[in-house]
Amino acid sequence: MTTDIATRDESTAVAQQQQTPQQITTKSALVQWAEEARVVANIAVSIAKTPFAGQLRGKPEEVTAVILAGNEMGLKPMAALKAFDIIQGTPALRAHAMRGLVQSKGHRIQLVESDDKHCVMRGRRSDDEDWQEVTWTIPRAALMGLVNKNEWKKQPQTMLVARATGEICRLIASDVLHAVPYTSEELRDADHTTYEVRPAAAPLSVAALTAAPAAAESTPEPDPAPQASADDSTDAAGDGRWDEDAASSSTDWPAVAQPGGAA
């Protein structure tokens, strides 16, 4: 038994020696992340009971996910709760939070012009000298069917700035945004088509697939009027002659209708 244990220990030691430092570091990072996630989950239970959770109040699992996502993007827990919105089940950053996050990484964003009709915004990466510029106008928003939405009617300038923010941030710093590339304002503007819900059809059986098609129903035609046949005027023998013996022996004839009697 002692030999078996020693052999297993040696095999484990050899396997660990064969691992690269990168593999060991990766595993350690994943284990550390899992431990941090468990700690965050415990804290999220308490936070989810407070108004600070916002729309996630009473949802500790979602609070945990938002805090973890924000942490990976450089946001502190309470800041992450105010930076994220859940739109139609999809996490999104608010426009001002996205702009602040990109700027915190050293990239530059400038609002060049802005009014109720148009917005011009430009941005530049920290390691680049060239500026990128985007323009959002009411006619452009109209082409996308946005101007008839309530928020666009109430505050067109704010919505134009939000659209320009999302576009310039993706253009110059997509690596900062990771898996959250759209602003809350953009997702709210998205059309969510409602499809007709139809009951599921019953599954077809093999018999139903191989059965012959049913004959088409037709209205039955009335039977034609009975016509006298030539056989009706003949006797059983079929020679058309009067059977005198059969007539004489019959007792069913009335007196006035005896053969040869008076009618």
Side-chain angles (χ1 to χ4, degrees):
M1 181 179 299
T2 304
T3 304
D4 293 340
I5 295 176
T7 302
R8 287 198 297 270
D9 291 341
E10 291 177 0
S11 300
T12 303
V14 171
Q16 291 177 347
Q17 292 175 358
Q18 292 176 346
Q19 292 179 344
T20 64
Q22 184 179 2
Q23 290 174 326
I24 297 175
T25 302
T26 302
K27 289 184 178 180
S28 299
L30 290 175
V31 171
Q32 183 179 357
W33 183 90
E35 292 175 352
E36 292 177 353
R38 283 192 291 268
V39 174
V40 172
N42 292 332
I43 298 174
V45 173
S46 299
I47 296 177
K49 298 177 182 178
T50 71
F52 286 95
Q55 63 175 332
L56 303 181
R57 189 172 185 177
K59 301 177 180 179
E61 294 83 2
E62 283 82 349
V63 171
T64 302
V66 165
I67 293 176
L68 290 174
N71 182 61
E72 293 184 357
M73 303 178 75
L75 297 172
K76 293 184 177 181
M78 301 309 293
L81 288 173
K82 296 304 179 183
F84 281 90
D85 283 326
I86 309 298
I87 310 298
Q88 296 291 330
T90 302
L93 283 168
R94 297 178 183 179
H96 66 85
M98 180 179 288
R99 185 165 59 249
L101 182 61
V102 170
Q103 289 173 330
S104 71
K105 302 301 181 181
H107 310 305
R108 299 187 61 184
I109 295 178
Q110 291 182 353
L111 181 61
V112 180
E113 297 177 7
S114 176
D115 56 28
D116 289 348
K117 301 298 181 181
H118 79 295
C119 175
V120 180
M121 190 173 288
R122 68 175 187 167
R124 186 181 72 181
R125 288 187 63 86
S126 59
D127 56 353
D128 194 352
E129 296 182 356
D130 296 329
W131 290 86
Q132 305 290 334
E133 188 174 278
V134 299
T135 301
W136 266 85
T137 63
I138 290 298
R140 181 180 177 184
L143 289 175
M144 299 182 64
L146 302 177
V147 295
N148 292 326
K149 297 181 181 294
N150 290 333
E151 290 301 318
W152 281 84
K153 293 178 180 179
K154 295 177 184 178
Q155 44 185 0
Q157 183 175 2
T158 300
M159 299 307 293
L160 287 170
V161 170
R163 281 281 173 166
T165 296
E167 185 170 343
I168 193 64
C169 286
R170 286 190 297 272
L171 188 62
I172 69 168
S174 57
D175 55 326
V176 176
L177 303 178
H178 299 293
V180 190
Y182 294 102
T183 66
S184 301
E185 293 81 358
E186 288 174 311
L187 289 187
R188 285 195 183 97
D189 286 339
D191 290 328
H192 301 283
T193 306
T194 302
Y195 296 94
E196 180 183 359
V197 179
R198 300 181 180 179
L204 292 176
S205 63
V206 175
L209 292 172
T210 58
E217 294 184 1
S218 58
T219 304
E221 297 182 0
D223 295 335
Q227 298 179 356
S229 173
D231 294 340
D232 295 339
S233 59
T234 61
D235 62 347
D239 55 6
R241 296 176 298 170
W242 180 262
D243 191 344
E244 186 66 30
D245 294 336
S248 300
S249 61
S250 175
T251 58
D252 296 333
W253 295 95
V256 295
Q258 289 289 342

